[in-house]
Amino acid sequence: MNPKSSRVVLIIRDDSIAHIAFARDQDLEQSIQNAFASPAFAKTADAPVLRLWLNAFAGYVCIGSMIQVMPAYVQARFTVSPYAVGVAVTVGFLATMIARPIAGRLVDARGARGIVMAGTIGAALGGVAHLLAPNYFCLILARLMLGLGEGALFTASIGWVLSGATNKRSGGIAGRFGLSMWGGLTVGPIIGAALDAIFGFRAVWLMASVLPVAGLILVATTSGGEAVRDVRPAPSRSWFPAAARGPSGSYVFSSIGYGVIASCLVPRMTTLDLPERNFALAVFGVAFLGARFLASPLVDHLGPRRMLIAALVVEIVGLLGLGVARDGGMILAMAALAGIGIALIYPCYIAMVAAAANGGERTTALGFVISAWDLGVAIGGPLGGLLSSHNYATGFIAAAFCGGISMLVAQIWCGHSA
């Protein structure tokens, strides 16, 4: 390269990511484009990933802290039935499930930034409504507001993050970004329990009102998040994109296993009088979080379809093991195995949908797929409880069978979309 006809171009984008390109004058524009398409920018070509991660994490810390104290709070404050307590805990997740695809469609039409901010504001107002709720009905409205806000916040955030990622990196990025949710749901209950023990219920609601404001400031001081250009008119965009149908159906069945584990693992070990029951869910959680963080990039290296089948096999083996094992150590090993499989299913579906969906429908499709997880978990908990009235092992065997159905649906969809 002739030094007289070349120059060094330093390109800096959000989150302090830089790329140096050597270019001849006549190739300067092309070199800049290549720099933005390079792996260094695959994570954040148009997305402030760290800020979005922290905002989502803060939102789910609030949710986790509220889940921890909600049952006792509802019973102590409003003196309602156990059923009403259960409704108060779960109704927010129903609102989140409904909000995700709607938020995704708004992102595709108007851009992610405004929807992330609107969701964050909704979550903050939900926290305030918890603080001020004078009766049970108003509390339910507060739970709905919080759920709608968090559904919009996370869905718009993942759409924004993936808008700057190549298909070859979407699985790893989505998997690790999803840890904002799981990290918040893990840390939140600890914070909620501590605040409740020291200051009482109102401290939890106050934190849930203030913490989203900090996240809002992070997002409001960024740029980007514009809508993906689509030559089709907005009404022609499908409300249920074809790219989401197969993965959503498969994900509903594969996520049932998580619901069964959450509702039945500790009771099964209790009936077997196993002392390991006290940290069984912790073992599952560590395996889940570790696999999601460490192995998500394998989705991109091995391919999402191949990795999905492998993850489903691991989940099914783990669930079957939980159904038949009676030794504490073996049950813990099977819980870890199931956690690894379940953790890696999500980035596979996200990578497949992100690659298959039209740019103007991508976040809508992602919203449906993430809602499928919510629906499967909502089914898995009651299903496990119903079947376990006869034998707790039955719930895990049924969940493994659902995993097999999930694999079949995925194979059929992959065959049609190939």
Side-chain angles (χ1 to χ4, degrees):
M1 179 179 293
N2 185 354
K4 294 183 179 181
S5 62
S6 63
R7 62 178 68 174
V8 177
V9 180
L10 177 64
I11 303 172
I12 302 176
R13 290 296 298 262
D14 202 2
D15 289 352
S16 300
I17 295 179
H19 180 86
I20 297 176
F22 293 90
R24 291 189 298 272
D25 289 343
Q26 61 268 33
D27 294 332
L28 181 58
E29 181 179 355
Q30 183 61 46
S31 295
I32 293 174
Q33 294 175 355
N34 291 341
F36 276 82
S38 70
F41 283 104
K43 293 183 180 180
T44 53
D46 187 41
V49 175
L50 179 59
R51 295 186 182 210
L52 292 173
W53 195 97
L54 290 173
N55 185 39
F57 175 77
Y60 280 97
V61 165
C62 296
I63 289 180
S65 65
M66 290 179 170
I67 291 174
Q68 175 68 29
V69 303
M70 184 62 64
Y73 170 77
V74 174
Q75 286 183 328
R77 176 73 187 276
F78 304 115
T79 316
V80 294
S81 67
Y83 174 78
V85 173
V87 170
V89 172
T90 59
V91 71
F93 292 102
L94 175 63
T96 299
M97 180 181 70
I98 295 172
R100 293 193 196 279
I102 298 173
R105 185 172 174 86
L106 291 173
V107 168
D108 290 331
R110 303 186 180 186
R113 188 171 183 272
I115 308 305
V116 172
M117 293 180 65
T120 306
I121 293 171
L125 293 176
V128 173
H130 280 74
L131 186 65
L132 301 177
N135 53 52
Y136 178 78
F137 177 75
C138 290
L139 178 67
I140 294 299
L141 293 180
R143 300 293 295 157
L144 290 172
M145 184 180 300
L146 179 68
L148 291 171
E150 293 301 337
L153 185 162
F154 186 83
T155 304
S157 295
I158 192 66
W160 191 349
V161 167
L162 292 181
S163 70
T166 65
N167 289 336
K168 293 182 178 179
R169 297 177 65 88
S170 58
I173 294 171
R176 288 178 173 176
F177 188 84
L179 289 175
S180 61
M181 177 194 300
W182 291 101
L185 292 176
T186 300
V187 174
I190 300 173
I191 296 176
L195 288 175
D196 180 35
I198 299 172
F199 302 107
F201 292 122
R202 293 180 65 84
V204 179
W205 309 150
L206 185 61
M207 181 204 68
S209 305
V210 173
L211 196 56
V213 176
L216 180 64
I217 294 173
L218 287 175
V219 177
T221 53
T222 64
S223 59
E226 292 80 11
V228 175
R229 294 187 180 277
D230 192 344
V231 297
R232 299 171 302 165
S236 69
R237 297 174 179 174
S238 174
W239 271 97
F240 191 12
R245 295 168 191 170
S248 296
S250 177
Y251 206 7
V252 169
F253 286 100
S254 63
S255 59
I256 286 175
Y258 178 84
V260 172
I261 289 173
S263 63
C264 299
L265 179 57
V266 173
R268 169 162 169 72
M269 297 183 74
T270 300
T271 60
L272 295 173
D273 196 26
L274 297 174
E276 295 87 348
R277 65 181 179 273
N278 294 322
F279 45 88
L281 288 177
V283 169
F284 173 86
V286 169
F288 183 103
L289 294 174
R292 177 68 70 82
F293 180 78
L294 296 174
S296 287
L298 291 177
V299 175
D300 302 313
H301 292 303
L302 301 178
R305 295 180 181 183
R306 183 184 304 173
M307 194 68 181
L308 174 61
I309 299 304
L312 287 171
V313 169
V314 171
E315 179 194 9
I316 291 169
V317 172
L319 290 170
L320 288 174
L322 289 173
V324 301
R326 303 182 67 85
D327 173 74
M330 182 59 68
I331 289 179
L332 292 182
M334 291 298 102
L337 196 64
I340 292 171
I342 293 172
L344 296 178
I345 290 171
Y346 167 80
C348 295
Y349 287 123
I350 295 299
M352 292 166 67
V353 171
N358 180 284
E361 297 177 338
R362 181 176 291 118
T363 313
T364 307
L366 294 174
F368 271 105
V369 172
I370 302 173
S371 289
W373 162 267
D374 299 323
L375 179 59
V377 172
I379 294 172
L383 177 65
L386 178 64
L387 295 176
S388 297
S389 61
H390 175 262
N391 187 327
Y392 279 110
T394 308
F396 293 103
I397 303 300
F401 179 76
C402 290
I405 296 176
S406 173
M407 187 183 300
L408 178 62
V409 173
Q411 289 281 43
I412 293 173
W413 181 81
C414 288
H416 283 311
S417 63

